[in-house]
Amino acid sequence: MREIVTSHHLASWVHLGGAMQTSEKVVVVMPAYNAGRTLRLTYEELPKDTVSLVILVDDGSTDGTLEVARQLGLEIFVHNRNYGYGANQKTCYTEALRAGADIVVMVHPDYQYDPRLVPQIIDPIVRGEADVVFGSRLKSGSALAQGMPWWKYFSNRFLTNLENRTFDLSLSEFHTGYRAFRRQVLETVNLALNSDGFIFDQQIVAQIVSSDFRIAEIAVPTRYFPEASSASFSASAVYGLRILSLLARYRLHRHGVWHSRAFDSLRARYTRLQPAPMAPRVAVDTRRSVPAGGR
């Protein structure tokens, strides 16, 4: 079994009496699209004594997202058009690694996930118990009561069950946008071969599993309100079909029936050749010899 599942209770997380101190550089990335109404609220609740840098990548917003981001003094990167959620994450992770991040946390700027839980979501990584941590909305069992649409809840459960069987895991949710990564994970998986769309979220999970990284999860509350981004029923249906296709391809790859470069670890492609051992030096006496019998 690859994952380590943490068992903290929600009540203990919301109590933030003492912020966790870490020597790791923690970079929060925000993949933004028309998040102007919720960005400030999300940013203000980030624990600044844990987070070293906040990077926002704007994917062609048409509202006031950039204006708010400038007011907050965020590190901002702007796509020249709307490329998609997966493309946004690719830029987020690329720039976070370039900024020297040791741990990268994706926090959606639509305030659907609680920003105050960043110390909790990175804790298994800081303690060396996990390489990736998911913030699960289904772990506490209250997602429906907190506003998750019933069709999204049951489809999430169904797909999660299939993914657990395919990946040999036992997580409560794979479809969360609240995620933390150790730097080495993002350097190892082949992000460039992933989609620019929503299926990116599950492609990177397949790559993480294929590379034998450890996955943990914590429970996070669910927030659904008009300003929070949420895929429509039709978009969710297409997303679900693409996940089924991904799982089929992963199974074929794992059993050696059909090879996919996307599931190959970049680090596994090469090894460091150790230098050849140095030949022992032979001591040479450079003193001039004196012939027997003197001069």
Side-chain angles (χ1 to χ4, degrees):
M1 197 67 67
R2 296 185 178 90
E3 85 284 8
I4 303 168
V5 180
T6 59
S7 58
H8 302 292
H9 295 291
L10 182 60
S12 65
W13 305 335
V14 178
H15 177 67
L16 302 175
M20 183 184 66
Q21 299 296 323
T22 174
S23 59
E24 309 272 15
K25 182 172 183 178
V26 179
V27 175
V28 164
V29 294
M30 293 184 171
Y33 178 68
N34 290 343
R37 299 176 66 181
T38 54
L39 172 57
R40 184 180 299 277
L41 183 59
T42 305
Y43 173 78
E44 287 177 348
E45 291 194 3
L46 284 173
K48 308 303 187 299
D49 40 10
T50 299
V51 177
S52 304
L53 175 68
V54 180
I55 293 175
L56 180 138
V57 177
D58 184 79
D59 193 38
S61 294
T62 57
D63 67 349
T65 298
L66 289 178
E67 180 181 352
V68 175
R70 288 192 186 99
Q71 292 172 0
L72 296 174
L74 307 185
E75 188 83 11
I76 306 170
F77 297 90
V78 184
H79 285 175
N80 57 9
R81 64 176 179 84
N82 180 259
Y83 287 98
Y85 177 58
N88 199 324
Q89 286 193 64
K90 291 175 186 179
T91 304
C92 282
Y93 301 143
T94 297
E95 295 304 328
L97 294 178
R98 185 172 289 135
D102 297 307
I103 300 174
V104 180
V105 185
M106 178 170 67
V107 178
H108 286 189
D110 63 357
Y111 200 60
Q112 187 173 140
Y113 299 97
D114 192 339
R116 297 173 299 169
L117 298 180
V118 167
Q120 284 69 35
I121 202 169
I122 69 172
D123 186 53
I125 298 177
V126 172
R127 289 189 280 111
E129 296 177 355
D131 304 301
V132 180
V133 184
F134 294 159
S136 171
R137 299 165 295 178
L138 305 186
K139 187 172 176 62
S140 66
S142 58
L144 284 172
Q146 293 172 348
M148 179 178 285
W150 66 268
W151 56 268
K152 181 167 290 190
Y153 174 85
F154 288 108
S155 61
N156 195 329
R157 286 289 195 192
F158 171 74
L159 291 170
T160 291
N161 182 266
L162 290 180
E163 286 164 305
N164 276 325
R165 293 185 180 187
T166 300
F167 298 141
D168 190 27
L169 298 174
S170 59
L171 298 174
S172 61
E173 183 186 15
F174 286 88
H175 310 283
T176 173
Y178 207 174
R179 302 177 172 197
F181 305 89
R182 189 186 302 279
R183 177 186 184 89
Q184 289 78 3
V185 174
L186 299 175
E187 291 177 327
T188 299
V189 299
N190 201 339
L191 299 178
L193 293 184
N194 291 347
S195 167
D196 286 345
F198 284 103
I199 192 62
F200 175 96
D201 264 355
Q202 303 317 309
Q203 289 173 329
I204 192 175
V205 173
Q207 292 170 324
I208 288 166
V209 173
S210 184
S211 298
D212 291 322
F213 286 115
R214 300 164 299 165
I215 304 175
E217 64 177 0
I218 67 168
V220 298
T222 304
R223 290 172 172 166
Y224 280 90
F225 51 95
E227 290 80 10
S229 61
S230 182
S232 65
F233 179 84
S234 59
S236 297
V238 172
Y239 171 70
L241 292 174
R242 288 177 176 168
I243 290 174
L244 296 179
S245 174
L246 170 68
L247 296 181
R249 285 184 282 114
Y250 179 84
R251 282 181 177 273
L252 293 174
H253 174 85
R254 187 180 65 182
H255 294 296
V257 177
W258 178 77
H259 179 261
S260 172
R261 290 190 303 124
F263 301 132
D264 287 342
S265 163
L266 294 178
R267 292 280 179 89
R269 292 181 174 184
Y270 63 91
T271 56
R272 181 178 181 181
L273 184 65
Q274 297 299 322
M278 298 288 293
R281 293 185 176 181
V282 178
V284 178
D285 189 351
T286 59
R287 294 174 297 176
R288 299 178 65 182
S289 59
V290 180
R295 298 183 180 181

